[in-house]
Amino acid sequence: MTILANVLVVFLILCGLLFLVVAAIGLIRLPDLYTRAHAASKSSTLGVMCILLGVFFHFWLNENHFNPTILLGILFLFITGPVGAHIMSRSSYIAGVKPWAGTGRDDLKPEIERMKKEQNLK
Amino acid sequence: MKTNDVIIQFTAKLVFFMIFFYAVHIFFAGHYTPGGGFVGGLVTASAIVLLIVAFDLKTVQTILPINYIYMVASGLILALGTAAISMFAGKPFFTHYFDYYNLPILGKTSLHTAALFDLGVYLVVVGVTMTIIQTIGEDE
């Protein structure tokens, strides 16, 4: 039982670490803000959730301590991580950060121009 | 430019309650585990600040019509009053009392006057933080 629990815990924490490393490599190697936000938000949210789940199972199965705060933390990260990335990338788009030169399609641009025209800006 | 804030507003509405109830949990768990009035007050204030960021100052003031300066005052009075209870009983200032009670749903519970003092700290921390943020945010 302890071995099975340890295998589960080690697997989850290793998965989380792998996702965090992928997120860090993506932050270094990807060309512009939007692709970096894509890498950082998804991969690191999943990574941290995996690590928290591993910690939760460690304390539950090995130490016999059921800690609902960790589950609440997982839910909280799952809700707020992507929303934070969304808000940051949208505000940087509105502030004028250009996407990568190879971007083929930009659906937000006409929408922003329409909103500017409606509010008589520029 | 005025933009459409549906996503952050909906998330703030949802997350506000999570943060607020977690703050209540921290406040009540302060006696036996890490936490207490100060951290609980800061977490509550940060939940209100999240609402202010997602909506704006005037909207939040209509949602939560609290005068935070009165909140600070009532927190100080509560803390001082808790400390002064023991003086009327002939004990030194700040002597705390506790006893075990059998409450209807919660069962055997220990009630301690330190929790009232902590409630005073909580009110002061929330009031001071929100006063600072409101006075900085109101400037135009």
Side-chain angles (χ1 to χ4, degrees):
Chain A
M1 190 60 206
T2 318
I3 295 174
L4 273 178
N6 278 333
V7 166
L8 181 68
V9 168
V10 169
F11 174 74
L12 280 173
I13 291 184
L14 274 182
C15 263
L17 274 179
L18 194 72
F19 278 115
L20 285 186
V21 170
V22 166
I25 294 174
L27 277 186
I28 296 171
R29 288 192 51 94
L30 287 174
D32 69 342
L33 189 142
Y34 307 103
T35 47
R36 280 181 194 153
H38 165 79
S41 65
K42 272 186 216 168
S43 187
S44 64
T45 306
L46 186 60
V48 175
M49 280 163 66
C50 277
I51 290 180
L52 280 178
L53 205 61
V55 172
F56 171 75
F57 277 127
H58 169 74
F59 278 104
W60 189 24
L61 301 174
N62 293 340
E63 316 266 327
N64 258 329
H65 173 65
F66 185 87
N67 193 346
T69 311
I70 301 180
L71 292 180
L72 195 70
I74 292 174
L75 184 69
F76 187 80
L77 273 173
F78 186 62
I79 295 174
T80 54
V83 174
H86 159 78
I87 292 299
M88 278 190 279
S89 41
R90 204 190 56 163
S91 42
S92 43
Y93 190 94
I94 292 171
V97 178
K98 291 273 171 291
W100 178 47
T103 309
R105 184 172 166 172
D106 192 350
D107 281 343
L108 191 54
K109 198 174 182 181
E111 187 65 18
I112 297 271
E113 271 164 9
R114 188 183 64 80
M115 284 166 83
K116 274 187 179 167
K117 202 173 283 173
E118 271 180 9
Q119 296 170 28
N120 293 323
L121 286 164
K122 282 179 188 172
Chain B
M1 189 172 82
K2 198 172 181 323
T3 51
N4 189 1
D5 287 337
V6 172
I7 294 179
I8 188 172
Q9 285 180 353
F10 183 78
T11 318
K13 276 181 223 164
L14 194 68
V15 163
F16 171 79
F17 289 103
M18 288 173 73
I19 302 178
F20 179 70
F21 286 119
Y22 187 59
V24 173
H25 164 75
I26 288 179
F27 173 75
F28 280 113
H31 199 69
Y32 294 110
T33 51
F38 188 78
V39 191
L42 278 183
V43 174
T44 311
S46 71
I48 302 173
V49 170
L50 178 71
L51 278 189
I52 291 179
V53 168
F55 297 90
D56 57 38
L57 266 170
K58 290 210 176 83
T59 319
V60 175
Q61 262 175 349
T62 47
I63 299 169
L64 299 168
I66 304 168
N67 189 338
Y68 291 104
I69 294 174
Y70 290 160
M71 202 176 186
V72 175
S74 54
L76 285 174
I77 288 173
L78 190 61
L80 249 166
T82 316
I85 291 173
S86 54
M87 287 174 74
F88 295 108
K91 295 269 174 58
F93 192 56
F94 257 117
T95 309
H96 283 298
Y97 299 96
F98 75 96
D99 205 351
Y100 293 96
Y101 294 96
N102 271 318
L103 296 182
I105 301 167
L106 300 169
K108 189 186 171 194
T109 318
S110 66
L111 295 181
H112 199 301
T113 50
L116 288 177
F117 181 75
D118 235 16
L119 186 64
V121 174
Y122 177 90
L123 290 178
V124 170
V125 170
V126 174
V128 167
T129 318
M130 293 315 298
T131 310
I132 292 172
I133 286 167
Q134 274 191 343
T135 21
I136 294 173
E138 265 168 2
D139 271 356
E140 287 189 3

